[in-house]
Amino acid sequence: DIQMTQSPSSLSASVGDRVSITCRASQYISTYLNWYQHKPGRAPKLLVFAASSLQTGVPSRFSGSGSGTDFTLTISALQAEDFATYYCQQSYSNFPTFGGGTKVEIK
Amino acid sequence: EVKLVQSGAEVKKPGESLKISCEASGYTFASYWIAWVRQMPGKGLEWMGIIYPGDSDARYSPSFRGQVTISTDKSISTAYLQWSSLKASDTAMYYCARRDPRSNGLDVWGPGTTVTVS
């Protein structure tokens, strides 16, 4: 299995802050990396696919970068509706795997 | 509108069998892979497996192979996840999701089915 390691596991931030979440793969995955947002009581939502492509309808304050083994999700100016848990997911192998999640909380 | 509607919450006893469903609408069901994702209480997302309704090709993550069965019924645009003998550790939320072949991401998700085994 390809292991996906996210950091930090949680962070506290204020509205308007710039926030970055990193995801590291245990082996090379090219740009086969997706990011999801998950709020309590709701289904996860695809934000970014192929490491840096924004899913239709996702605000431009979200961006993704990276390739190979190291990836980053950045929220340029945190909004109230962005407080959630974020997961990376590799789609390189026949057995896709998720990272452990990063919970973004209000400071 | 593209939609996945999942069956309702289940409360079962250890050893019982269960089959939960995921009904698709708004797109050609046979043409998109459907994945199942588990979230245990207080934990993260886990990829269980995926199935292509067009030919019922099912692929399981190693942790779930032999523990569950994924199937589809194309005639009613529905995917299923089933257990033959539930354990307390199967208590979780289960999501189905469509995989977009363009992005390889899970672009449409069902609302989830809560399974409680106690």
Side-chain angles (χ1 to χ4, degrees):
Chain A
D1 284 15
I2 298 177
Q3 309 301 318
M4 306 301 293
T5 303
Q6 285 184 234
S7 60
S9 56
S10 67
L11 64 90
S12 295
S14 301
V15 171
D17 284 353
R18 181 181 180 90
V19 167
S20 290
I21 299 167
T22 63
C23 178
R24 174 164 287 176
S26 61
Q27 66 184 72
Y28 175 83
I29 60 169
S30 184
T31 56
Y32 289 88
L33 192 283
N34 306 312
W35 289 98
Y36 299 86
Q37 177 191 66
H38 193 197
K39 297 180 180 179
R42 300 182 66 174
K45 175 184 173 184
L46 178 64
L47 297 177
V48 171
F49 62 92
S52 60
S53 296
L54 217 57
Q55 178 71 352
T56 303
V58 174
S60 58
R61 62 181 180 273
F62 290 92
S63 64
S65 64
S67 67
T69 60
D70 293 308
F71 304 86
T72 302
L73 176 71
T74 299
I75 309 171
S76 60
L78 202 64
Q79 300 300 301
E81 60 267 31
D82 301 336
F83 291 96
T85 300
Y86 294 84
Y87 294 91
C88 62
Q89 176 238 328
Q90 63 84 11
S91 56
Y92 181 83
S93 82
N94 284 333
F95 307 119
T97 44
F98 290 92
T102 296
K103 188 172 184 179
V104 176
E105 299 175 297
I106 303 173
K107 183 183 281 186
Chain B
E1 181 195 2
V2 176
K3 220 170 165 183
L4 296 174
V5 176
Q6 295 187 234
S7 48
E10 301 275 3
V11 179
K12 306 292 276 187
K13 292 183 173 15
E16 291 185 332
S17 63
L18 176 65
K19 191 174 190 177
I20 62 175
S21 65
C22 169
E23 182 180 358
S25 61
Y27 73 97
T28 304
F29 178 67
S31 300
Y32 290 77
W33 292 80
I34 292 283
W36 286 94
V37 175
R38 182 175 79 174
Q39 185 175 38
M40 298 176 75
K43 302 295 184 185
L45 304 175
E46 299 174 271
W47 184 285
M48 301 178 71
I50 195 167
I51 189 165
Y52 188 70
D55 60 6
S56 295
D57 180 10
R59 301 172 187 185
Y60 298 87
S61 282
S63 302
F64 293 94
R65 192 177 295 125
Q67 307 305 308
V68 296
T69 302
I70 296 171
S71 60
T72 63
D73 184 338
K74 272 192 302 188
S75 68
I76 55 172
S77 299
T78 300
Y80 301 98
L81 177 66
Q82 68 181 85
W83 295 260
S84 58
S85 181
L86 286 160
K87 305 187 265 285
S89 56
D90 293 317
T91 294
M93 175 73 84
Y94 294 89
Y95 295 101
C96 63
R98 186 185 81 163
R99 190 172 78 180
D100 177 6
R102 178 183 63 96
S103 71
N104 242 6
L106 301 176
D107 67 336
V108 179
W109 291 68
T113 295
T114 301
V115 174
T116 303
V117 184
S118 175

